[in-house]
C-alpha cells in the first residue's frame, strides 16, 4: 500500500541527509524505522500507564484498609521514580 505524506522542509532535509549519509537506503526505510520506534514508544507508554494505575489502585486499597504508607515515604518514592525517569530519558537522548 502506498501512502503519500506531506512533510515540512525540516523533515524533508533531515530524511535526505540520513539517506545520503548511507544510514538508510531510502526515505521509505527511514520512515518505517521511525514508525517502529514510535509503536514501541506507545507500547512502553501504555505499560507505564498501567503500572501507575496499578500503584494507584494498590495505594487506594491500602488507604481504605488502614495500612497506608507514611506521607514521607510516599514523597521519597515519588522523588526516586522521578529521578529514575529523568535518568532514563537522558540516556535515551544521548
Amino acid at each position: 500500500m502506498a501512502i503519500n505524506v506531506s512533510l515540512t522542509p525540516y523533515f524533508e532535509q533531515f530524511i535526505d541527509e540520513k539517506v545520503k549519509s548511507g544510514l538508510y537506503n531510502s526515505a521509505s526505510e527511514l520512515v518505517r524505522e521511525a514508525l517502529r520506534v514510535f509503536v514501541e514508544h506507545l507500547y512502553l507508554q501504555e505499560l507505564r500507564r498501567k503500572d501507575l494505575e496499578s500503584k494507584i489502585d494498590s495505594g487506594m486499597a491500602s488507604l481504605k484498609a488502614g495500612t497506608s504508607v507514611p506521607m514521607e515515604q510516599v514523597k521519597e518514592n515519588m522523588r526516586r521514580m522521578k529521578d529514575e525517569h529523568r535518568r532514563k530519558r537522558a540516556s535515551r537522548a544521548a
Side-chain angles (χ1 to χ4, degrees):
M1 164 171 65
I3 297 175
N4 293 320
V5 177
S6 297
L7 300 172
T8 63
Y10 170 82
F11 283 119
E12 286 180 356
Q13 181 180 352
F14 178 83
I15 291 171
D16 189 49
E17 288 173 3
K18 296 303 173 193
V19 172
K20 284 180 180 175
S21 76
L23 192 58
Y24 295 92
N25 293 318
S26 67
S28 293
E29 184 181 325
L30 184 149
V31 171
R32 283 190 298 271
E33 174 69 13
L35 287 171
R36 280 190 290 273
V37 170
F38 181 63
V39 167
E40 181 180 342
H41 168 77
L42 292 175
Y43 174 74
L44 292 173
Q45 212 174 25
E46 180 66 13
L47 286 179
R48 285 191 295 270
R49 186 190 63 76
K50 286 181 180 181
D51 183 52
L52 181 58
E53 284 179 353
S54 174
K55 288 176 180 174
I56 289 170
D57 290 344
S58 176
M60 294 301 290
S62 69
L63 184 63
K64 288 177 184 175
T67 59
S68 58
V69 177
M71 184 53 73
E72 284 309 312
Q73 186 177 348
V74 171
K75 288 179 183 178
E76 180 56 34
N77 289 345
M78 293 301 290
R79 278 189 216 95
R80 198 173 322 114
M81 288 171 59
K82 187 171 137 182
D83 290 343
E84 181 181 331
H85 179 70
R86 283 183 179 161
R87 279 193 300 276
K88 285 180 182 178
R89 285 183 66 191
S91 69
R92 279 182 265 168

